[in-house]
Amino acid sequence: MAIIKCPECGHQVSDKAPTCPSCGVEIAGKVVRCHQCGAIYFSEHDACPICSYPNTRQKRENTANATPPPIPPTKKPAENEAPQPKPEKKSHYGIFFFSLLMAAVTCGTLFYFYHTAKDTKEAEAYNYAITSEDPLVLQSFLDTYRDANSDRRDSVEARLLAIQQASRDWAEACASRSKTTIQKYLEKYPNSAHKGEALNKIDSIDWAKAKELNTEQGYEQYLKEHPSGAHVDDADEGIKNLRMKYLQPEENTMLQNLIRRFFQNANARNDEAMKTDLADVLLQFQGEKNVPAAKVASYMHRATWRVMGDYKIEKKPTETDEAEYAMKFTVVQEGEAETQKNPSKYFVETKVNSEGLIVELNLSRVVE
């Protein structure tokens, strides 16, 4: 039992009360509660007067009380009427087999294209990997295509092992810092990606050796082996400095020829020829400064001279990156032209400039 509001007067009343004590309207069995909004209304209504939700109780009662439709009488065939043949049922087996065939063809086609695309992609990956120098690319192919063609996998594995071995050999060559080891590496891997770096290392090793020797032969050997090396300019500069510092064979020959020629022209009394081997003005001659070449020539042809050939030559660089030469040697004065005195020995000190001209000349008599 529940207390509800009378749908007529609104006073509270039990849903089991026969009538409303206030207005007398029938309650028990005559009211329903709306399933939508919960309002109480008379069951004779088709829908809730508040929210218009259909009265399901009324609908069920109407359905239960509805008269079933009449059953049409069965037509009996006439006595002389021939029985109608039953229509043949169409067979669905053909459609089934056709559908099955189409499905098989479709699957086969899809499988073909899938397999072709997979093989094409594998072939592209293989061609890229087999030409790569990167071991990660090769390893990626092996990891991705585990079911690839065995010949392809074998080729990729062999190349990967070869690259890994080459990498170890290169590391050993670098660690050795040996020219011989690096050359052997290049002989074994002539097309290595490290070829340029290996040649640079050999260049550095040979340059270090040439610099340590610090000789013309050492620098020239470097230039011979590395005509386009990184230290060509340094080698040329080294040779230049050594030649500036040390007397070269051709310079020694030039200076000795100069002295012999000068004294031969003095003996021949050939002043003009003597002046070709003298500077126009000598810085010093017999202790006197700024002496004209003509005066020197005139002095020298007063006697006959014999050069002893005991040369001592010193090469001296100048501030202009040129060289001058200090020479010491002895000569014998065979005798003066007029008095023909006994021979006398003289100690000669002379300087020759970079142009091969005598700029200083001093003779000191040797007392024996």
Side-chain angles (χ1 to χ4, degrees), residues 61-68:
E61 290 177 354
N62 293 338
T63 303
N65 297 327
T67 303

Side-chain angles (χ1 to χ4, degrees), residues 212-329:
E212 182 180 3
L213 292 173
N214 195 30
T215 62
E216 282 192 54
Q217 293 79 5
Y219 291 129
E220 287 172 353
Q221 182 65 27
Y222 170 83
L223 292 173
K224 180 180 179 182
E225 295 183 7
H226 305 278
S228 301
H231 302 282
V232 168
D233 292 340
D234 296 330
D236 288 336
E237 185 69 19
I239 291 173
K240 179 181 177 182
N241 292 336
L242 287 172
R243 288 181 176 177
M244 187 65 65
K245 184 176 181 180
Y246 300 105
L247 185 69
Q248 303 302 307
E250 61 272 17
E251 294 174 319
N252 184 60
T253 301
M254 179 272 293
L255 293 170
Q256 292 188 28
N257 290 337
L258 170 67
I259 298 302
R260 282 196 296 268
R261 185 174 61 249
F262 175 77
F263 280 96
Q264 286 172 358
N265 290 328
N267 292 338
R269 311 298 190 264
N270 188 342
D271 289 7
E272 294 303 320
M274 290 174 65
K275 286 191 288 185
T276 60
D277 293 325
L278 296 170
D280 291 339
V281 177
L282 273 69
L283 299 176
Q284 190 178 82
F285 175 69
Q286 293 300 91
E288 184 181 350
K289 295 182 179 180
N290 301 323
V291 180
K295 183 176 180 179
V296 176
S298 176
Y299 178 90
M300 293 301 298
H301 65 56
R302 295 170 57 188
T304 301
W305 309 93
R306 177 162 53 89
V307 180
M308 302 302 294
D310 52 347
Y311 302 105
K312 292 182 180 179
I313 305 174
E314 182 182 358
K315 185 175 182 179
K316 297 181 179 180
T318 65
E319 295 180 355
T320 58
D321 288 337
E322 295 179 341
E324 63 179 14
Y325 310 91
M327 302 182 65
K328 296 178 181 180
F329 55 92

